[in-house]
Structures are given as structure tokens and as C-alpha cells.
Amino acid sequence: MDYKKLTEDLKQAKELARIAAQGEDGGTANLDSFVLRLPRARESKVLEAIKEAGCYCRGKTDWFGTCYFISCGYGGQGNAQTRAVTAMEKFMTKQGYKADIFYKAD
């Protein structure tokens, strides 16, 4: 696992999310979240990479399969939130990561 690349990719994904979140924020308030699955990666290194990218993660969880719920402060609470996490998921998937979205309406 290249943790430096992970940091750089998350920085780019965060910027894409920020751009995607601009505009209207109607729709249902939600807790949609960007999820990253990194099997065999060292949790401490992953959390360090996430923090260096300017994002937040509480830690690895097994609640939604083994994964990391990552928040980058996209802004918004409805459609803007959904657009932001979708942008992150698409970018990180293109970079070769196992990315996903956890959808949850409030």
C-alpha cells in the first residue's frame, strides 16, 4: 500500500467533492458517507493518510464490512452531500481503490 499516494488521491477527491457540493442543497437531509475498503492496509497508516489529506475518520469499522467511513467536510446536508460523496467515490474508484457510498436518509 502506497500511503503517500493514498493521501494525494484523497486530497484530489476532497477537492472534487467540494466542487460537486456547490449549488442547491435541497432534498432529504442525509448522512450519506464516503467509504473506503483497504484490505491488508495498516490502520494507523491509513488514518494518518486520511488526516494528512485534511479529512476525518474515526477508525476502521466492521459495521458495514471492514472499511473506513471518511468525512472531508463537504458542506451541505441534502443533495449537496450526496453529490460530494458520489464525486469522491467515482474518483477513488478510478484510482483503483475499493470505494463505496453508505446511503442513509435522516
Side-chain angles (χ1 to χ4, degrees), residues 10-82:
L10 283 169
K11 285 179 182 178
Q12 290 181 48
K14 178 183 175 182
E15 178 60 15
L16 292 171
R18 185 191 65 75
I19 292 166
Q22 294 176 359
E24 65 83 26
D25 191 26
T28 303
N30 65 65
L31 301 171
D32 294 353
S33 301
F34 170 67
V35 176
L36 198 55
R37 301 176 192 284
L38 300 168
R40 297 176 303 281
R42 290 186 56 199
E43 182 176 3
S44 63
K45 293 284 194 179
V46 172
L47 293 175
E48 183 179 316
I50 292 167
K51 184 177 180 180
E52 286 180 17
C55 299
Y56 172 78
C57 178
R58 223 172 142 174
K60 182 168 59 174
T61 180
D62 291 321
W63 182 76
F64 187 57
T66 302
C67 62
Y68 298 86
F69 281 75
I70 300 172
S71 173
C72 293
Y74 333 101
Q77 63 180 0
N79 294 340
Q81 175 76 359
T82 301

Side-chain angles (χ1 to χ4, degrees), residues 70-105:
I70 300 172
S71 173
C72 293
Y74 333 101
Q77 63 180 0
N79 294 340
Q81 175 76 359
T82 301
R83 288 192 310 272
V85 297
T86 300
M88 288 192 78
E89 184 272 333
K90 285 182 180 180
F91 176 78
M92 294 299 281
T93 297
K94 285 181 184 176
Q95 299 307 307
Y97 297 96
K98 289 184 175 184
D100 205 350
I101 299 173
F102 173 77
Y103 293 102
K104 183 174 182 179

